[in-house]
Amino acid sequence: MYYETITRAADATFTHKKIIGGGGEFAVVSLHLEPLPGGSGLQFINNVTEEVLPAKLVEGVREGVQETSKRGVLAGHPVTDLRVTLIDGKYHDIDSDRGTFSLAAAPFWMGCGRPVR
Protein backbone atom coordinates (compact mmCIF):
# COMPACT_ATOMS: atom_id res chain seq x y z
CA MET A 1 0.00 0.00 0.00
CA TYR A 2 1.14 3.54 -0.75
CA TYR A 3 0.93 6.48 1.67
CA GLU A 4 1.17 10.25 1.38
CA THR A 5 2.68 12.80 3.75
CA ILE A 6 3.67 16.46 3.76
CA THR A 7 7.15 18.00 3.81
CA ARG A 8 6.44 21.49 5.19
CA ALA A 9 4.25 22.99 7.88
CA ALA A 10 1.19 25.03 6.91
CA ASP A 11 -1.65 26.99 8.56
CA ALA A 12 -5.07 27.75 7.13
CA THR A 13 -8.58 28.73 8.17
CA PHE A 14 -11.77 27.45 6.61
CA THR A 15 -15.29 28.78 7.14
CA HIS A 16 -18.31 26.58 6.50
CA LYS A 17 -21.58 28.53 6.18
CA LYS A 18 -24.81 27.26 4.74
CA ILE A 19 -28.35 28.62 5.03
CA ILE A 20 -31.06 25.99 5.27
CA GLY A 21 -34.63 27.25 5.53
CA GLY A 22 -34.85 29.35 8.69
CA GLY A 23 -31.62 27.99 10.19
CA GLY A 24 -28.21 27.15 8.93
CA GLU A 25 -24.79 25.65 9.46
CA PHE A 26 -21.77 27.58 10.73
CA ALA A 27 -18.22 26.54 11.62
CA VAL A 28 -14.80 28.19 11.46
CA VAL A 29 -11.73 25.96 11.86
CA SER A 30 -8.07 27.02 11.99
CA LEU A 31 -5.55 24.19 11.79
CA HIS A 32 -1.77 23.86 11.76
CA LEU A 33 -0.29 20.92 9.84
CA GLU A 34 3.29 19.73 10.33
CA PRO A 35 5.24 16.70 9.14
CA LEU A 36 6.36 14.02 11.61
CA PRO A 37 9.13 11.42 11.42
CA GLY A 38 8.37 8.22 9.50
CA GLY A 39 6.24 5.74 11.40
CA SER A 40 4.55 8.40 13.59
CA GLY A 41 1.10 8.05 12.07
CA LEU A 42 -1.55 10.76 12.27
CA GLN A 43 -1.77 12.89 15.42
CA PHE A 44 -4.54 15.33 16.30
CA ILE A 45 -3.84 17.96 18.97
CA ASN A 46 -6.46 20.29 20.43
CA ASN A 47 -4.96 23.65 21.44
CA VAL A 48 -8.22 25.51 22.09
CA THR A 49 -10.10 25.93 25.34
CA GLU A 50 -13.69 24.91 26.01
CA GLU A 51 -14.62 28.62 25.81
CA VAL A 52 -13.34 28.83 22.22
CA LEU A 53 -14.91 25.54 21.07
CA PRO A 54 -16.94 23.11 23.18
CA ALA A 55 -15.56 19.55 23.35
CA LYS A 56 -18.34 18.10 21.14
CA LEU A 57 -17.35 20.48 18.33
CA VAL A 58 -13.64 19.68 18.74
CA GLU A 59 -14.58 16.02 18.33
CA GLY A 60 -16.25 16.94 15.03
CA VAL A 61 -12.99 18.53 13.83
CA ARG A 62 -11.08 15.38 14.87
CA GLU A 63 -13.54 13.19 12.95
CA GLY A 64 -13.28 15.37 9.83
CA VAL A 65 -9.47 15.24 9.90
CA GLN A 66 -9.39 11.47 10.44
CA GLU A 67 -11.94 10.77 7.72
CA THR A 68 -10.26 13.03 5.18
CA SER A 69 -6.80 11.60 5.95
CA LYS A 70 -8.00 8.32 4.45
CA ARG A 71 -7.82 10.06 1.04
CA GLY A 72 -4.63 12.01 0.42
CA VAL A 73 -4.36 15.16 -1.65
CA LEU A 74 -1.97 13.91 -4.35
CA ALA A 75 -3.05 10.43 -5.40
CA GLY A 76 -5.82 9.58 -2.96
CA HIS A 77 -3.66 7.32 -0.75
CA PRO A 78 -3.95 7.50 3.06
CA VAL A 79 -2.00 10.32 4.73
CA THR A 80 0.45 9.47 7.51
CA ASP A 81 3.28 10.95 9.59
CA LEU A 82 1.43 14.19 10.18
CA ARG A 83 0.40 16.28 13.19
CA VAL A 84 -2.77 18.35 12.85
CA THR A 85 -3.26 20.96 15.58
CA LEU A 86 -6.54 22.79 16.11
CA ILE A 87 -5.43 26.36 16.85
CA ASP A 88 -8.70 28.31 16.70
CA GLY A 89 -12.35 28.13 15.79
CA LYS A 90 -15.67 29.91 15.99
CA TYR A 91 -19.18 28.58 16.44
CA HIS A 92 -22.79 29.72 16.72
CA ASP A 93 -24.96 28.44 19.57
CA ILE A 94 -27.78 27.42 17.23
CA ASP A 95 -26.16 26.77 13.84
CA SER A 96 -23.10 24.75 14.92
CA ASP A 97 -22.89 21.05 15.68
CA ARG A 98 -20.41 18.19 15.52
CA GLY A 99 -21.23 17.37 11.90
CA THR A 100 -20.79 20.97 10.78
CA PHE A 101 -17.29 21.05 12.27
CA SER A 102 -16.45 17.73 10.65
CA LEU A 103 -17.44 19.25 7.30
CA ALA A 104 -15.36 22.37 8.01
CA ALA A 105 -12.19 20.35 8.69
CA ALA A 106 -12.35 18.32 5.47
CA PRO A 107 -12.15 21.11 2.83
CA PHE A 108 -9.46 22.84 4.87
CA TRP A 109 -7.35 19.69 4.71
CA MET A 110 -7.65 19.47 0.94
CA GLY A 111 -6.91 23.16 0.41
CA CYS A 112 -3.94 23.19 2.80
CA GLY A 113 -2.45 19.86 1.78
CA ARG A 114 -1.80 20.71 -1.86
CA PRO A 115 0.65 23.59 -1.32
CA VAL A 116 2.68 21.73 1.32
CA ARG A 117 3.55 18.62 -0.67
Side-chain angles (χ1 to χ4, degrees), residues 7 16 19-20 23 28 39 49 53 60 64 69 72 101 103 112:
T7 58
H16 174 78
I19 298 173
I20 304 170
V28 177
T49 63
L53 281 183
S69 71
F101 274 81
L103 290 171
C112 188

Side-chain angles (χ1 to χ4, degrees), residues 31-46 62 65-66 69 79-86 109:
L31 299 173
H32 174 75
L33 278 69
E34 59 188 303
L36 293 174
S40 298
L42 177 68
Q43 296 178 6
F44 178 82
I45 308 294
N46 174 21
R62 178 190 312 271
V65 166
Q66 289 174 340
S69 71
V79 178
T80 190
D81 304 332
L82 175 69
R83 177 179 295 133
V84 179
T85 304
L86 176 61
W109 176 271

Side-chain angles (χ1 to χ4, degrees), residues 47-79:
N47 270 0
V48 299
T49 63
E50 182 82 15
E51 292 79 33
V52 174
L53 281 183
K56 66 180 182 176
L57 302 181
V58 171
E59 191 54 37
V61 176
R62 178 190 312 271
E63 289 171 359
V65 166
Q66 289 174 340
E67 185 61 32
T68 306
S69 71
K70 295 176 183 176
R71 302 173 314 275
V73 297
L74 295 176
H77 300 292
V79 178

